[in-house]
Amino acid sequence: MARYSTGFVAQRHVQSDVILQPIFDVRPSATDYPRIVSLDFYFCNEPNNALNIAIGLSSSPGTLKTTAATLVPHGPNDPATSVIIGTDWFVDPGLPVSFFRRVTIPGITTVSFFLDLKAGISLGPTQTISCWGSLLASATGPLVTEVSIEVDV
Amino acid sequence: MAIYSLANRTSNVTISTATFELIAAASIGYRLLEFGFTINTATTSVFGLGTPAATGITPTTPVTVLAEDGGNTTAGNSTTALAWGTAPTVPTNFYRRVTSPATAGAGIIWTFPRGLTVLKTKSLILYNITVTSVADVWIVVDE
């Protein structure tokens, strides 16, 4: 097992609190099943509205359009991994039935939040984990966040 | 032993009532490793975490915790509840209490490195010491 991490930008025009929208997902490959150990959010364009972030197992994987980022190994001799980070889909992932974490973030531009997942959330071969966002108080607008993710594969 | 977690959005904001209960199954207890929440509206809120004097009866649509080791672990057993036929009652003492400012998104994460042990059929509750905001709550347990 080796540790990998990457930083990327996720952005989505999101809607009010009752309608969560996917902003990124993590997808295993045929050979690599990730264990997500931390997620770090830095909201760089957040329109002075409190917002909501939630992560859970996608009820359906959706269809990936573009790969957002490549996970970088921490060890110089660790192999490359084919785990995929997605931020754009032809068909969105399905809303999780329940969430592992759900957090309200203050309406302050450049606010940040760190999720330490300790033992880690691991994925089986047919599972994807997705992160969802919305704005509170019936607002709509862009949600742009820098995300740093750390996984074991 | 395996790690499970779950997030809920509370609904009850009434003073001197429980707003969230984490209930151990009849067959197995749990150890609470982490309890976090953020408030959802701009209301100064005082919360306490403790063992209820009386566990809630007939919880409304309890939700089962999710396995964090999704590829390998069997389903969880503990459940959460946000409403009850008969609500859990105020703890004699609290393990933790906190006052959050009137800012949506304010919150706290309590961690219990050795675990807060709850026996079969027993529970922990988040209690509204004052009128509170709706909150996004998450828990991490070891079963």
Side-chain angles (χ1 to χ4, degrees):
Chain A
M1 182 174 285
R3 181 152 293 191
Y4 302 79
S5 62
T6 190
F8 60 96
V9 175
Q11 52 188 316
R12 180 84 186 230
H13 187 93
V14 295
Q15 302 185 36
S16 63
D17 202 22
V18 293
I19 309 169
L20 288 158
Q21 305 273 344
I23 57 175
F24 71 88
D25 69 357
V26 182
R27 311 167 77 90
S29 68
T31 55
D32 290 352
Y33 311 134
R35 178 182 293 273
I36 302 160
V37 294
S38 74
L39 282 168
D40 190 352
F41 298 89
Y42 178 83
F43 295 92
C44 34
N45 177 23
E46 185 260 306
N48 293 324
N49 245 299
L51 58 91
N52 204 234
I53 290 290
I55 58 170
L57 293 175
S58 313
S59 58
S60 59
T63 310
L64 185 66
K65 194 172 190 179
T66 51
T67 298
T70 301
L71 286 157
V72 182
H74 285 199
N77 298 317
D78 294 334
T81 178
S82 47
V83 170
I84 293 167
I85 309 287
T87 56
D88 195 9
W89 306 268
F90 291 114
V91 177
D92 282 351
L95 184 71
V97 175
S98 299
F99 292 109
F100 293 110
R101 302 285 190 281
R102 183 170 187 165
V103 181
T104 301
I105 307 288
I108 303 167
T109 301
T110 71
V111 68
S112 59
F113 190 79
F114 179 75
L115 280 174
D116 175 8
L117 301 173
K118 295 189 175 61
I121 297 175
S122 64
L123 298 179
T126 61
Q127 296 174 319
T128 70
I129 195 165
S130 48
C131 179
W132 297 70
S134 70
L135 300 182
L136 300 189
S138 302
T140 63
L143 187 162
V144 184
T145 179
E146 290 178 288
V147 182
S148 299
I149 183 171
E150 201 166 54
V151 307
D152 287 337
V153 177
Chain B
M1 304 284 269
I3 305 296
Y4 299 84
S5 62
L6 185 66
N8 294 111
R9 176 166 290 180
T10 64
S11 52
N12 176 32
V13 300
T14 305
I15 187 173
S16 300
T17 57
T19 189
F20 174 91
E21 185 174 32
L22 175 57
I23 308 160
S27 58
I28 188 172
Y30 63 80
R31 287 190 301 141
L32 178 70
L33 301 177
E34 180 174 306
F35 191 109
F37 67 87
T38 53
I39 62 170
N40 195 248
T41 60
T43 305
T44 301
S45 305
V46 183
F47 292 103
L49 174 70
T51 304
T55 303
I57 300 171
T58 55
T60 307
T61 57
V63 181
T64 304
V65 294
L66 303 170
E68 291 200 349
D69 193 356
N72 302 302
T73 304
T74 55
N77 297 280
S78 305
T79 55
T80 63
L82 309 174
W84 306 263
T86 303
T89 55
V90 60
T92 306
N93 293 295
F94 293 106
Y95 290 110
R96 302 283 189 276
R97 57 179 287 164
V98 66
T99 300
S100 67
T103 306
I108 196 164
I109 301 172
W110 289 313
T111 60
F112 302 90
R114 297 180 64 180
L116 193 57
T117 301
V118 175
L119 302 178
K120 299 173 186 177
T121 72
K122 302 297 185 184
S123 72
L124 291 170
I125 59 170
L126 186 67
Y127 192 79
N128 295 333
I129 296 172
T130 63
V131 171
T132 62
S133 163
V134 166
D136 289 323
V137 178
W138 71 91
I139 51 88
V140 182
V141 298
D142 191 353
E143 287 187 347

